[in-house]
PDB file of all heavy atoms in Angstrom:
ATOM      1  N   THR A  23       0.826  -1.201   0.000  1.00  0.00           N
ATOM      2  CA  THR A  23       0.000   0.000   0.000  1.00  0.00           C
ATOM      3  C   THR A  23       0.869   1.264   0.000  1.00  0.00           C
ATOM      4  O   THR A  23       1.882   1.340   0.690  1.00  0.00           O
ATOM      5  CB  THR A  23      -0.934   0.013   1.223  1.00  0.00           C
ATOM      6  OG1 THR A  23      -1.786  -1.132   1.175  1.00  0.00           O
ATOM      7  CG2 THR A  23      -1.796   1.270   1.243  1.00  0.00           C
ATOM      8  N   ILE A  24       0.446   2.247  -0.790  1.00  0.00           N
ATOM      9  CA  ILE A  24       1.186   3.509  -0.944  1.00  0.00           C
ATOM     10  C   ILE A  24       0.353   4.648  -0.375  1.00  0.00           C
ATOM     11  O   ILE A  24      -0.863   4.714  -0.608  1.00  0.00           O
ATOM     12  CB  ILE A  24       1.493   3.772  -2.424  1.00  0.00           C
ATOM     13  CG1 ILE A  24       2.476   2.727  -2.955  1.00  0.00           C
ATOM     14  CG2 ILE A  24       2.034   5.179  -2.642  1.00  0.00           C
ATOM     15  CD1 ILE A  24       2.550   2.686  -4.463  1.00  0.00           C
ATOM     16  N   ILE A  25       1.007   5.534   0.373  1.00  0.00           N
ATOM     17  CA  ILE A  25       0.342   6.728   0.887  1.00  0.00           C
ATOM     18  C   ILE A  25       1.036   7.937   0.259  1.00  0.00           C
ATOM     19  O   ILE A  25       2.207   8.199   0.516  1.00  0.00           O
ATOM     20  CB  ILE A  25       0.394   6.799   2.419  1.00  0.00           C
ATOM     21  CG1 ILE A  25      -0.279   5.550   3.009  1.00  0.00           C
ATOM     22  CG2 ILE A  25      -0.298   8.065   2.924  1.00  0.00           C
ATOM     23  CD1 ILE A  25      -0.231   5.474   4.512  1.00  0.00           C
ATOM     24  N   LEU A  26       0.294   8.634  -0.577  1.00  0.00           N
ATOM     25  CA  LEU A  26       0.820   9.777  -1.321  1.00  0.00           C
ATOM     26  C   LEU A  26       0.457  11.063  -0.578  1.00  0.00           C
ATOM     27  O   LEU A  26      -0.721  11.335  -0.324  1.00  0.00           O
ATOM     28  CB  LEU A  26       0.223   9.778  -2.733  1.00  0.00           C
ATOM     29  CG  LEU A  26       0.742  10.798  -3.736  1.00  0.00           C
ATOM     30  CD1 LEU A  26       2.203  10.539  -4.073  1.00  0.00           C
ATOM     31  CD2 LEU A  26      -0.115  10.740  -5.010  1.00  0.00           C
ATOM     32  N   MET A  27       1.470  11.833  -0.192  1.00  0.00           N
ATOM     33  CA  MET A  27       1.232  13.075   0.551  1.00  0.00           C
ATOM     34  C   MET A  27       2.442  13.996   0.408  1.00  0.00           C
ATOM     35  O   MET A  27       3.420  13.645  -0.247  1.00  0.00           O
ATOM     36  CB  MET A  27       0.969  12.767   2.027  1.00  0.00           C
ATOM     37  CG  MET A  27       2.098  11.983   2.696  1.00  0.00           C
ATOM     38  SD  MET A  27       1.873  11.743   4.481  1.00  0.00           S
ATOM     39  CE  MET A  27       0.451  10.681   4.517  1.00  0.00           C
ATOM     40  N   ARG A  28       2.375  15.154   1.040  1.00  0.00           N
ATOM     41  CA  ARG A  28       3.496  16.088   0.931  1.00  0.00           C
ATOM     42  C   ARG A  28       4.533  15.893   2.034  1.00  0.00           C
ATOM     43  O   ARG A  28       5.507  16.644   2.103  1.00  0.00           O
ATOM     44  CB  ARG A  28       2.993  17.533   0.936  1.00  0.00           C
ATOM     45  CG  ARG A  28       2.401  18.039   2.239  1.00  0.00           C
ATOM     46  CD  ARG A  28       1.861  19.451   2.032  1.00  0.00           C
ATOM     47  NE  ARG A  28       1.352  20.045   3.250  1.00  0.00           N
ATOM     48  CZ  ARG A  28       2.063  20.851   4.040  1.00  0.00           C
ATOM     49  NH1 ARG A  28       3.318  21.130   3.742  1.00  0.00           N
ATOM     50  NH2 ARG A  28       1.516  21.386   5.112  1.00  0.00           N
ATOM     51  N   PHE A  29       4.343  14.888   2.877  1.00  0.00           N
ATOM     52  CA  PHE A  29       5.314  14.561   3.920  1.00  0.00           C
ATOM     53  C   PHE A  29       5.859  13.161   3.704  1.00  0.00           C
ATOM     54  O   PHE A  29       5.205  12.301   3.088  1.00  0.00           O
ATOM     55  CB  PHE A  29       4.674  14.648   5.308  1.00  0.00           C
ATOM     56  CG  PHE A  29       4.273  16.036   5.705  1.00  0.00           C
ATOM     57  CD1 PHE A  29       2.940  16.346   5.924  1.00  0.00           C
ATOM     58  CD2 PHE A  29       5.227  17.031   5.857  1.00  0.00           C
ATOM     59  CE1 PHE A  29       2.557  17.619   6.292  1.00  0.00           C
ATOM     60  CE2 PHE A  29       4.857  18.312   6.220  1.00  0.00           C
ATOM     61  CZ  PHE A  29       3.520  18.616   6.438  1.00  0.00           C
ATOM     62  N   SER A  30       7.052  12.925   4.248  1.00  0.00           N
ATOM     63  CA  SER A  30       7.701  11.619   4.113  1.00  0.00           C
ATOM     64  C   SER A  30       7.631  10.856   5.426  1.00  0.00           C
ATOM     65  O   SER A  30       7.724  11.446   6.509  1.00  0.00           O
ATOM     66  CB  SER A  30       9.167  11.802   3.701  1.00  0.00           C
ATOM     67  OG  SER A  30       9.855  10.578   3.733  1.00  0.00           O
ATOM     68  N   PHE A  31       7.452   9.536   5.347  1.00  0.00           N
ATOM     69  CA  PHE A  31       7.474   8.687   6.537  1.00  0.00           C
ATOM     70  C   PHE A  31       8.859   8.671   7.187  1.00  0.00           C
ATOM     71  O   PHE A  31       8.989   8.644   8.397  1.00  0.00           O
ATOM     72  CB  PHE A  31       7.088   7.254   6.173  1.00  0.00           C
ATOM     73  CG  PHE A  31       5.608   7.039   6.033  1.00  0.00           C
ATOM     74  CD1 PHE A  31       5.113   5.816   5.613  1.00  0.00           C
ATOM     75  CD2 PHE A  31       4.715   8.053   6.328  1.00  0.00           C
ATOM     76  CE1 PHE A  31       3.746   5.607   5.497  1.00  0.00           C
ATOM     77  CE2 PHE A  31       3.353   7.855   6.214  1.00  0.00           C
ATOM     78  CZ  PHE A  31       2.867   6.625   5.784  1.00  0.00           C
ATOM     79  N   GLY A  32       9.880   8.674   6.363  1.00  0.00           N
ATOM     80  CA  GLY A  32      11.244   8.560   6.860  1.00  0.00           C
ATOM     81  C   GLY A  32      12.055   9.808   6.566  1.00  0.00           C
ATOM     82  O   GLY A  32      11.528  10.850   6.141  1.00  0.00           O
ATOM     83  N   PRO A  33      13.368   9.730   6.809  1.00  0.00           N
ATOM     84  CA  PRO A  33      14.236  10.875   6.532  1.00  0.00           C
ATOM     85  C   PRO A  33      14.284  11.191   5.039  1.00  0.00           C
ATOM     86  O   PRO A  33      14.115  10.314   4.196  1.00  0.00           O
ATOM     87  CB  PRO A  33      15.603  10.414   7.059  1.00  0.00           C
ATOM     88  CG  PRO A  33      15.532   8.920   7.073  1.00  0.00           C
ATOM     89  CD  PRO A  33      14.108   8.576   7.349  1.00  0.00           C
ATOM     90  N   SER A  34      14.541  12.449   4.722  1.00  0.00           N
ATOM     91  CA  SER A  34      14.570  12.888   3.328  1.00  0.00           C
ATOM     92  C   SER A  34      15.787  13.780   3.100  1.00  0.00           C
ATOM     93  O   SER A  34      16.234  14.499   4.002  1.00  0.00           O
ATOM     94  CB  SER A  34      13.289  13.647   2.971  1.00  0.00           C
ATOM     95  OG  SER A  34      13.388  14.240   1.705  1.00  0.00           O
ATOM     96  N   GLU A  35      16.335  13.727   1.866  1.00  0.00           N
ATOM     97  CA  GLU A  35      17.469  14.583   1.516  1.00  0.00           C
ATOM     98  C   GLU A  35      17.024  16.013   1.215  1.00  0.00           C
ATOM     99  O   GLU A  35      17.848  16.924   1.161  1.00  0.00           O
ATOM    100  CB  GLU A  35      18.189  14.003   0.291  1.00  0.00           C
ATOM    101  CG  GLU A  35      18.803  12.624   0.530  1.00  0.00           C
ATOM    102  CD  GLU A  35      19.454  12.065  -0.713  1.00  0.00           C
ATOM    103  OE1 GLU A  35      19.348  12.723  -1.767  1.00  0.00           O
ATOM    104  OE2 GLU A  35      20.057  10.982  -0.623  1.00  0.00           O
ATOM    105  N   ILE A  36      15.732  16.205   1.037  1.00  0.00           N
ATOM    106  CA  ILE A  36      15.210  17.541   0.741  1.00  0.00           C
ATOM    107  C   ILE A  36      15.133  18.346   2.038  1.00  0.00           C
ATOM    108  O   ILE A  36      14.602  17.856   3.036  1.00  0.00           O
ATOM    109  CB  ILE A  36      13.821  17.441   0.085  1.00  0.00           C
ATOM    110  CG1 ILE A  36      13.897  16.603  -1.197  1.00  0.00           C
ATOM    111  CG2 ILE A  36      13.264  18.819  -0.226  1.00  0.00           C
ATOM    112  CD1 ILE A  36      12.556  16.311  -1.818  1.00  0.00           C
ATOM    113  N   PRO A  37      15.659  19.555   2.060  1.00  0.00           N
ATOM    114  CA  PRO A  37      15.616  20.375   3.284  1.00  0.00           C
ATOM    115  C   PRO A  37      14.190  20.591   3.783  1.00  0.00           C
ATOM    116  O   PRO A  37      13.243  20.648   2.986  1.00  0.00           O
ATOM    117  CB  PRO A  37      16.265  21.699   2.848  1.00  0.00           C
ATOM    118  CG  PRO A  37      17.035  21.376   1.614  1.00  0.00           C
ATOM    119  CD  PRO A  37      16.311  20.252   0.948  1.00  0.00           C
ATOM    120  N   GLN A  38      14.056  20.732   5.091  1.00  0.00           N
ATOM    121  CA  GLN A  38      12.735  20.878   5.678  1.00  0.00           C
ATOM    122  C   GLN A  38      12.018  22.125   5.180  1.00  0.00           C
ATOM    123  O   GLN A  38      10.812  22.094   4.922  1.00  0.00           O
ATOM    124  CB  GLN A  38      12.837  20.907   7.199  1.00  0.00           C
ATOM    125  CG  GLN A  38      11.471  20.964   7.885  1.00  0.00           C
ATOM    126  CD  GLN A  38      11.574  20.885   9.392  1.00  0.00           C
ATOM    127  OE1 GLN A  38      12.635  20.613   9.930  1.00  0.00           O
ATOM    128  NE2 GLN A  38      10.478  21.133  10.071  1.00  0.00           N
ATOM    129  N   TRP A  39      12.755  23.238   5.032  1.00  0.00           N
ATOM    130  CA  TRP A  39      12.111  24.473   4.589  1.00  0.00           C
ATOM    131  C   TRP A  39      11.485  24.315   3.211  1.00  0.00           C
ATOM    132  O   TRP A  39      10.445  24.915   2.913  1.00  0.00           O
ATOM    133  CB  TRP A  39      13.128  25.628   4.574  1.00  0.00           C
ATOM    134  CG  TRP A  39      14.250  25.481   3.571  1.00  0.00           C
ATOM    135  CD1 TRP A  39      15.469  24.941   3.785  1.00  0.00           C
ATOM    136  CD2 TRP A  39      14.218  25.869   2.186  1.00  0.00           C
ATOM    137  NE1 TRP A  39      16.229  24.957   2.633  1.00  0.00           N
ATOM    138  CE2 TRP A  39      15.483  25.542   1.635  1.00  0.00           C
ATOM    139  CE3 TRP A  39      13.258  26.472   1.372  1.00  0.00           C
ATOM    140  CZ2 TRP A  39      15.812  25.784   0.314  1.00  0.00           C
ATOM    141  CZ3 TRP A  39      13.587  26.717   0.042  1.00  0.00           C
ATOM    142  CH2 TRP A  39      14.842  26.377  -0.475  1.00  0.00           C
ATOM    143  N   LYS A  40      12.132  23.474   2.375  1.00  0.00           N
ATOM    144  CA  LYS A  40      11.600  23.261   1.033  1.00  0.00           C
ATOM    145  C   LYS A  40      10.403  22.320   1.067  1.00  0.00           C
ATOM    146  O   LYS A  40       9.426  22.507   0.332  1.00  0.00           O
ATOM    147  CB  LYS A  40      12.699  22.684   0.137  1.00  0.00           C
ATOM    148  CG  LYS A  40      12.358  22.714  -1.340  1.00  0.00           C
ATOM    149  CD  LYS A  40      13.586  22.433  -2.191  1.00  0.00           C
ATOM    150  CE  LYS A  40      13.275  22.631  -3.668  1.00  0.00           C
ATOM    151  NZ  LYS A  40      14.472  22.424  -4.514  1.00  0.00           N
ATOM    152  N   ARG A  41      10.468  21.299   1.942  1.00  0.00           N
ATOM    153  CA  ARG A  41       9.341  20.366   2.059  1.00  0.00           C
ATOM    154  C   ARG A  41       8.084  21.072   2.547  1.00  0.00           C
ATOM    155  O   ARG A  41       6.970  20.717   2.156  1.00  0.00           O
ATOM    156  CB  ARG A  41       9.704  19.230   3.027  1.00  0.00           C
ATOM    157  CG  ARG A  41      10.586  18.147   2.405  1.00  0.00           C
ATOM    158  CD  ARG A  41      10.901  17.074   3.404  1.00  0.00           C
ATOM    159  NE  ARG A  41      12.018  17.455   4.268  1.00  0.00           N
ATOM    160  CZ  ARG A  41      12.228  16.976   5.480  1.00  0.00           C
ATOM    161  NH1 ARG A  41      11.371  16.142   6.002  1.00  0.00           N
ATOM    162  NH2 ARG A  41      13.270  17.344   6.183  1.00  0.00           N
ATOM    163  N   GLU A  42       8.266  22.052   3.425  1.00  0.00           N
ATOM    164  CA  GLU A  42       7.110  22.778   3.965  1.00  0.00           C
ATOM    165  C   GLU A  42       6.394  23.600   2.900  1.00  0.00           C
ATOM    166  O   GLU A  42       5.246  24.014   3.100  1.00  0.00           O
ATOM    167  CB  GLU A  42       7.563  23.675   5.116  1.00  0.00           C
ATOM    168  CG  GLU A  42       7.977  22.882   6.361  1.00  0.00           C
ATOM    169  CD  GLU A  42       8.521  23.778   7.455  1.00  0.00           C
ATOM    170  OE1 GLU A  42       8.744  24.985   7.175  1.00  0.00           O
ATOM    171  OE2 GLU A  42       8.720  23.280   8.576  1.00  0.00           O
ATOM    172  N   GLN A  43       7.063  23.830   1.769  1.00  0.00           N
ATOM    173  CA  GLN A  43       6.440  24.581   0.679  1.00  0.00           C
ATOM    174  C   GLN A  43       5.711  23.680  -0.322  1.00  0.00           C
ATOM    175  O   GLN A  43       5.062  24.183  -1.236  1.00  0.00           O
ATOM    176  CB  GLN A  43       7.513  25.402  -0.058  1.00  0.00           C
ATOM    177  CG  GLN A  43       8.183  26.465   0.803  1.00  0.00           C
ATOM    178  CD  GLN A  43       9.307  27.190   0.087  1.00  0.00           C
ATOM    179  OE1 GLN A  43       9.644  26.857  -1.055  1.00  0.00           O
ATOM    180  NE2 GLN A  43       9.890  28.181   0.731  1.00  0.00           N
ATOM    181  N   PHE A  44       5.835  22.364  -0.150  1.00  0.00           N
ATOM    182  CA  PHE A  44       5.156  21.450  -1.072  1.00  0.00           C
ATOM    183  C   PHE A  44       3.639  21.597  -0.946  1.00  0.00           C
ATOM    184  O   PHE A  44       3.114  21.770   0.162  1.00  0.00           O
ATOM    185  CB  PHE A  44       5.541  20.000  -0.769  1.00  0.00           C
ATOM    186  CG  PHE A  44       6.955  19.644  -1.160  1.00  0.00           C
ATOM    187  CD1 PHE A  44       7.474  18.390  -0.848  1.00  0.00           C
ATOM    188  CD2 PHE A  44       7.765  20.530  -1.845  1.00  0.00           C
ATOM    189  CE1 PHE A  44       8.769  18.038  -1.195  1.00  0.00           C
ATOM    190  CE2 PHE A  44       9.056  20.196  -2.208  1.00  0.00           C
ATOM    191  CZ  PHE A  44       9.560  18.950  -1.878  1.00  0.00           C
ATOM    192  N   PRO A  45       2.923  21.505  -2.078  1.00  0.00           N
ATOM    193  CA  PRO A  45       1.458  21.581  -2.018  1.00  0.00           C
ATOM    194  C   PRO A  45       0.851  20.266  -1.523  1.00  0.00           C
ATOM    195  O   PRO A  45       1.436  19.193  -1.689  1.00  0.00           O
ATOM    196  CB  PRO A  45       1.074  21.838  -3.475  1.00  0.00           C
ATOM    197  CG  PRO A  45       2.170  21.189  -4.263  1.00  0.00           C
ATOM    198  CD  PRO A  45       3.427  21.373  -3.455  1.00  0.00           C
ATOM    199  N   ASP A  46      -0.303  20.371  -0.905  1.00  0.00           N
ATOM    200  CA  ASP A  46      -1.039  19.161  -0.516  1.00  0.00           C
ATOM    201  C   ASP A  46      -1.569  18.453  -1.758  1.00  0.00           C
ATOM    202  O   ASP A  46      -1.805  19.084  -2.794  1.00  0.00           O
ATOM    203  CB  ASP A  46      -2.219  19.523   0.388  1.00  0.00           C
ATOM    204  CG  ASP A  46      -1.788  19.806   1.818  1.00  0.00           C
ATOM    205  OD1 ASP A  46      -0.908  19.082   2.312  1.00  0.00           O
ATOM    206  OD2 ASP A  46      -2.332  20.749   2.428  1.00  0.00           O
TER     207      ASP A  46
END
């Protein structure tokens, strides 16, 4: 099962400030 969202379950190489700008 896949959960598609603007947040990651685990660690990410993308900086947090940039992830917070992702659209829902």
Side-chain angles (χ1 to χ4, degrees):
T23 300
I24 293 165
I25 301 177
L26 186 66
M27 57 175 67
R28 69 184 184 95
F29 293 117
S30 172
F31 280 175
S34 171
E35 297 178 356
I36 302 173
Q38 184 176 350
W39 65 267
K40 193 167 187 177
R41 281 180 278 155
E42 290 176 350
Q43 297 176 356
F44 288 175
D46 282 320

